[in-house]
Amino acid sequence: MATVLDSLAVPRSSALPSSAFAPIASSPVCFLSGRRGSMRLPEFSGLKIQPSLASRSVAAAGRSSRVGRRVGGVVCEAQETAVEVSAVIDATWQSLVLDADTPVLVEFWAPWCGPCRMIHPVINELAKQYTGKLKCYKVNTDESPSIATRYGIRSIPTVIIFKSGEKKEAIIGAVPKSTLTTSIEKFL
């Protein structure tokens, strides 16, 4: 998730009525501190401020120098946050994976697995890239060991592609996006 504002400089409290800070101060994720009145605002997804340096030339006393100043741009990330890879459990396996009308990519993972955390962003990108053509799900092998056992999962992360309820291909390990894309394209 993106932070809407990292920090915000607020005029001294004597310049503003104390009631102006009431909604902010009562929020559990905000804080006010210091003499300058800096505060942290709650996190939101969808918008992000991207700071950058804008430089301009300043001519002073016959010399030219470059001065940098921070400027920000607001970027809408709604497209990035729209697709989420859902979890599948024993109760939903049949309906979501085996009875699906499109090919399905399933990532077998566990929260303690480092390589699994490395491949999560790749799976999220693929879910966005193939929206409408491919369904992407994840199975926590600690919570649903029977599914992992049924498909012979001995190492995680393992990605299996299903089509018409049948296991078509398995990719073991944290592999590059290009490897997964090549496998997906075979079944679309």
Side-chain angles (χ1 to χ4, degrees), residues 87-89 107-112 138-145 148:
V88 177
I89 57 173
E107 174 197 5
F108 291 85
W109 71 287
W112 48 263
K138 57 187 174 183
V139 174
N140 183 336
T141 57
D142 290 344
E143 294 175 358
S144 300

Side-chain angles (χ1 to χ4, degrees), residues 7 32 43 61 64 69 80 96 106 122-123 157 170 183 186:
S7 64
L32 297 173
E43 292 188 7
S64 179
R69 63 181 175 91
E80 292 180 14
L96 293 177
V106 180
V122 175
I123 301 296
S183 297
K186 294 180 202 174

Side-chain angles (χ1 to χ4, degrees), residues 23-107:
I24 296 170
S26 65
S27 173
V29 294
C30 291
F31 66 88
L32 297 173
S33 66
R35 295 178 73 178
R36 295 188 67 167
S38 63
M39 66 181 150
R40 193 175 127 220
L41 297 175
E43 292 188 7
F44 295 96
S45 60
L47 293 177
K48 178 167 80 173
I49 295 182
Q50 292 183 329
S52 62
L53 276 178
S55 59
R56 57 188 166 107
S57 293
V58 175
R63 295 184 291 170
S64 179
S65 64
R66 300 202 54 91
V67 175
R69 63 181 175 91
R70 288 191 93 179
V71 296
V74 177
V75 177
C76 179
E77 293 181 334
Q79 226 176 9
E80 292 180 14
T81 59
V83 178
E84 184 178 322
V85 178
S86 301
V88 177
I89 57 173
D90 294 322
T92 58
W93 178 260
Q94 181 72 33
S95 62
L96 293 177
V97 178
L98 300 180
D99 295 339
D101 53 349
T102 60
V104 178
L105 180 143
V106 180
E107 174 197 5

